[in-house]
Structure formats: structure tokens, C-alpha cells
Amino acid sequence: MEKLLNSLNKSDSIIHLIGIGGSGMYPLAQILHEKGYRLSGSDNNETDTLDAVRAMGITVHMGHNAQNVVGVDVIVRSAAIKDDNPEIVAARQSGIPVCERAELLGVITAQYDKAVCVCGTHGKTTVSSMLTYVFMHTQGDMADISAVIGGKLKILDGGSGRTGKSDVMICEACEYADTFLKLHPNVSVVLNIDEDHLEYFKTMDNLRLSFTKFCNLTTDVLVVNGDDENTMTAVTNSAFAGKVVTFGRGADNDYTPDCVSGITLKVPGEHNVLNAVATFATARTLGVPESAIASGLEAFTGAGRRFEILGTVNGITIADDYAHHPAEVTVTLKAAQSMGYKRVWAVHQPFTYSRTKRFLDEFAEALAIADKITLTEIMGGREVNHHEVSAADLQEQLAQKGAQCELFATFDEVCANVVENAHPSDLIITLGCGDVNKIAHMIIDKLNA
């Protein structure tokens, strides 16, 4: 991939990104655009992100079609884009090189002497974002970092990627389909390892093994959650022989919540205290002054779709969160319940049939923390429903726990029901990694009408 990029004439060659509006592709589009490459892209759904892509002068095709790749020189796809995608089929027939998003990101990380790669089942977007804020609040060259984040940040002008001139890059490293094994980390942050993506990994042993391999790729420092058994097993089983820095609540860790006790965080939840500790540990290891760490953490108001407060209308607060694992739903709703609202509404879109089936009881346990629960149908994503599961099964599981839950077939019905029944001082939070955030914006529009 590196040779391929170097062979391109930036003024004439075109790199085409399939799914250019996705959280993984968008920051790469920003970085490649800043580096002077000509780009095009395609996507299936109109979003604010696509508006931002077009504002950079990039051609965006709606829908995936063979005609979209006529005249392009390289195609970049994510692991979610299958071989039968019409643009991939056309590329193969035309001899257009096709590379994985992870390969491209790996080439980019290899260009930095301090590539800080943040991985873990939960929290990697938040910690990557916190680190971006911290470094950009330092003085001198170190502040001019590069970044690839899975959420949009105000400090990045509403984007999720940037190219800087320093030797520091902050990179969110996702374990799905082993994509993080394509990266070149100098510093790796391992936040936690929880049961997830088992439709790919099959077993927890395989999942831990992938994190062990990721540790083996690291050249300089591992910053790891010393309280997380799976994480420590992965580290212990690795061949990494460099410096290991631990963080966690336990007193035997190198960094504990005491290090952030004087810092006022603007993001709610006990889990974000631990995210701040991980950020503090990583930044100090890289020589960032404590004053800059404090300034960055106190300026951080959250990443897009991570307990993002979208607005308050008629006394009703509407928020959105990317939570799509029971552990994430749990910490998000516990944080919401601690904020003093009269009632907390959870509007949840289950994501993938395999995940819903595997965690049916765990999702019900987590969602039951809310006062009111509204479900949409399952978003299948990359899957076909071979699992004989539906959102009605989750509704039934919730009913068995005595929770109030309603299920609607369409977003319009969800929106109408919530708007009709929400009261002042309620918090409505949409939960899921699909397109459930559209409902949050629909609710705001309807309340404003």
C-alpha cells in the first residue's frame, strides 16, 4: 500500500473510498485531502458527514454502483464491504487495486515516530479524543499532532481527523476483524478486553490472542488497564519487552484516580474518570506537562455520539450515545440516572442479530436501568438473520424483568410516541451504533415544531 500511494500522481490520480461517510473512512478522507490527494467516495445514506466531505470538494456518489469507480486509480474499503459489492466487482474486473482501510491506516501510522494507538472493547473513542485535546493544549511543536478518531470533535472543527507536523499521531485502533494488527504502534493503550465481536473471533481465547499480537507490534510503551484480567493476560502472554505502565482503581497501579482528583471533568460517569486516568497515564509517559493534561481534560466536552447532549427543548433534554454492548449501555444509563433528571428514556436500536441473540439477557438487564424504554427493530448491518431473534425477544426479556418497554417498527412511530409522552425534566437518550441517532434529531425537530 505504501508503494502504491507513493506511485500516485497527487494532481491526477484518484483514490476512491467506499463508505466515505463512515466513522472509519471520514478521518482518512480528511487526512488524505490535507496531504493533497484527489478523492472520490460513495455511501448509502445522506448524513451531515457527507455534507462536510462535499465541502472539501470531494465528489460523493450516493449508492454503490460500478460506474462510481470508472477512472479511479485506487479503491479503499472497510472490512464491512464485501466482495460482492458492485464497486469491488467492477474494480476486480478492471484491474483497479483494492486495499483495506486498515492497510491505509497502517501506512499512515508508520510515518510517525510516536504513533499512539488506543485499543479496547470500550472507551477507545473517548480516550483517543481526550488525548487529542490534551496534546492540542500543550505548547510548541508537540501540539501539532495528527489524529484519526472514531468520533467527531469540536477541537477538530467538527471533524475526526487531522494532519500535523509533529511526530505524534493519536490513532483509535479497532480490534474488529483484526484490523488493528495492520497498524504500527509505538505506544499502545489497552483499555479493556470484553466479550465482543465473537461472530468473528469465535472464542474469548482468540480475542485475547489478537490483543496479545497487538502488544507484540508495539515498539516502545504499553499503557494498560492493570485491573482488567483479560488485558493483563494478553500483556503477560506477549513478547513485548519494553516499558509497561498500568492504570486503574487499584492502589498497585502506576496511575489511579488520585492523579485526576483536582481536574473537573465535563463528561459524566465513573467510567469517564477511568478514561481520564488512562489519558493522564499515556500523556505523562510521553512527557506532556500535568498542566496541559489538566487543561485538555477540562476542555473536553465529549466526542460525537458519546453521551452527546444535542439540545433541550421545552425542558426535555435529548442526547445520543454510540453504546451497542451491554457494558456500554450499563455505564451510560447509570451516568444518566446520576444526573438528576426526572425520568431517563432509553431509545435503543439493537445492532446485528448475532450480538442481540448472544447478549439478550445482558441487554435487558442494562436497558432496565432506564425509567422508560423504547426499542426499534434490529439493524442487521453486515448480517443476515440466521439467528431466529427479533427485537420482540428483547422486549419480552425486559417485560420479564418488570421493565416498561415499547417496540415500534419505524423511526416515525418511535419519535411520535416519545414526543407525546415525554415531560419537562426528562432525558431522552438514543443508544446504538447504527442510525438510531436520526431519531434524536427527529425528536428535536418535532418538539420545536
Side-chain angles (χ1 to χ4, degrees):
M1 181 63 198
E2 185 174 10
K3 291 181 179 178
L4 184 59
L5 276 181
N6 291 337
S7 70
L8 295 179
N9 184 318
K10 291 185 179 181
S11 62
D12 295 327
S13 304
I14 298 176
I15 301 175
H16 180 80
L17 283 68
I18 303 177
I20 195 169
S23 60
M25 286 296 192
Y26 176 47
L28 290 183
Q30 288 182 284
I31 287 176
L32 290 172
H33 176 72
E34 288 183 26
K35 287 181 175 290
Y37 288 98
R38 291 183 64 199
L39 306 177
S40 68
S42 61
D43 217 307
N44 281 327
N45 298 300
E46 285 287 358
T47 61
D48 292 342
T49 302
L50 290 186
D51 291 339
V53 171
R54 292 189 182 102
M56 290 189 283
I58 299 171
T59 298
V60 177
H61 304 280
M62 291 313 300
H64 297 159
N65 189 295
Q67 291 299 311
N68 296 343
V69 301
V70 173
V72 308
D73 298 277
V74 180
I75 291 176
V76 181
R77 70 174 186 179
S78 70
I81 302 298
K82 305 304 181 186
D83 287 341
D84 61 357
N85 180 284
E87 296 181 13
I88 298 298
V89 172
R92 301 297 190 202
Q93 293 173 346
S94 304
I96 302 171
V98 177
C99 75
E100 294 282 345
R101 170 196 174 271
E103 292 180 72
L104 175 58
L105 184 56
V107 169
I108 293 172
T109 58
Q111 297 173 352
Y112 295 86
D113 292 332
K114 294 179 181 176
V116 183
C117 297
V118 183
C119 69
T121 311
H122 317 296
K124 51 186 172 285
T125 296
T126 297
V127 172
S128 300
S129 301
M130 286 179 168
L131 282 167
T132 300
Y133 268 74
V134 164
F135 273 93
M136 293 182 71
H137 277 77
T138 60
Q139 301 295 319
D141 293 340
M142 187 179 282
D144 193 14
I145 63 167
S146 299
V148 172
I149 310 298
K152 298 177 183 178
L153 299 180
K154 290 180 180 178
I155 202 168
L156 299 182
D157 298 322
S160 50
R162 81 185 300 266
T163 298
K165 296 179 181 178
S166 78
D167 60 354
V168 177
M169 180 186 186
I170 307 299
C171 178
E172 182 172 333
C174 181
E175 74 277 9
Y176 174 67
D178 281 329
T179 54
F180 64 170
L181 299 184
K182 302 287 178 61
L183 305 181
H184 297 271
N186 303 106
V187 177
S188 291
V189 185
V190 187
L191 299 172
N192 43 65
I193 304 174
D194 200 357
E195 187 176 292
D196 202 5
H197 300 308
L198 293 191
E199 75 283 2
Y200 171 79
F201 290 107
K202 307 303 181 186
T203 68
M204 274 298 295
D205 285 342
N206 290 338
L207 177 59
R208 279 190 297 265
L209 177 60
S210 284
F211 278 88
T212 294
K213 292 177 179 177
F214 184 72
C215 292
N216 288 339
L217 295 174
T218 308
T219 61
D220 298 343
V221 183
L222 286 177
V223 182
V224 300
N225 185 342
D227 294 343
D228 186 70
E229 182 178 349
N230 285 326
T231 295
M232 295 311 296
T233 298
V235 173
T236 301
N237 290 341
S238 75
F240 178 77
K243 183 178 182 180
V244 177
V245 176
T246 60
F247 67 88
R249 298 189 182 282
D252 55 343
N253 288 294
D254 297 316
Y255 292 88
T256 69
D258 287 344
C259 69
V260 297
S261 60
I263 298 172
T264 302
L265 298 177
K266 293 185 174 67
V267 286
E270 287 298 311
H271 61 295
N272 277 321
V273 173
L274 199 58
N275 286 335
V277 175
T279 301
F280 193 102
T282 306
R284 284 299 295 137
T285 299
L286 287 165
V288 178
E290 290 189 18
S291 58
I293 298 174
S295 297
L297 287 174
E298 291 185 347
F300 178 66
T301 56
R305 301 216 60 205
R306 271 68 180 180
F307 212 126
E308 182 180 10
I309 303 294
L310 300 175
T312 301
V313 184
N314 302 331
I316 301 168
T317 300
I318 302 92
D320 175 58
D321 195 273
Y322 199 70
H324 57 288
H325 184 282
E328 295 163 354
V329 173
T330 296
V331 296
T332 299
L333 290 178
K334 283 184 176 180
Q337 289 286 23
S338 72
M339 297 172 72
Y341 291 99
K342 183 176 180 181
R343 295 184 301 179
V344 173
W345 291 66
V347 179
H348 177 59
Q349 179 188 50
F351 182 71
T352 72
Y353 305 106
S354 60
R355 181 188 298 262
T356 305
K357 180 78 169 182
R358 178 180 293 275
F359 295 121
L360 195 67
D361 186 65
E362 291 88 343
F363 270 120
E365 192 75 30
L367 289 165
I369 296 169
D371 301 296
K372 299 279 284 183
I373 306 152
T374 305
L375 296 178
T376 75
E377 297 292 349
I378 298 171
M379 185 176 189
R382 53 191 172 264
E383 293 183 347
V384 176
N385 190 6
H386 298 306
H387 301 272
E388 298 183 352
V389 66
S390 70
D393 296 320
L394 180 53
Q395 182 186 32
E396 174 61 26
Q397 199 79 3
L398 280 156
Q400 291 178 14
K401 297 182 182 299
Q404 299 182 47
C405 175
E406 294 183 276
L407 168 63
F408 296 96
T410 69
F411 283 8
D412 285 335
E413 291 174 288
V414 172
C415 176
N417 176 264
V418 172
V419 168
E420 181 179 349
N421 293 287
H423 301 153
S425 298
D426 283 357
L427 169 68
I428 301 163
I429 184 163
T430 50
L431 297 161
C433 66
D435 59 352
V436 69
N437 58 314
K438 292 179 180 177
I439 296 178
H441 294 284
M442 291 167 64
I443 290 170
I444 291 174
D445 291 343
K446 198 170 185 67
L447 287 171
N448 278 319

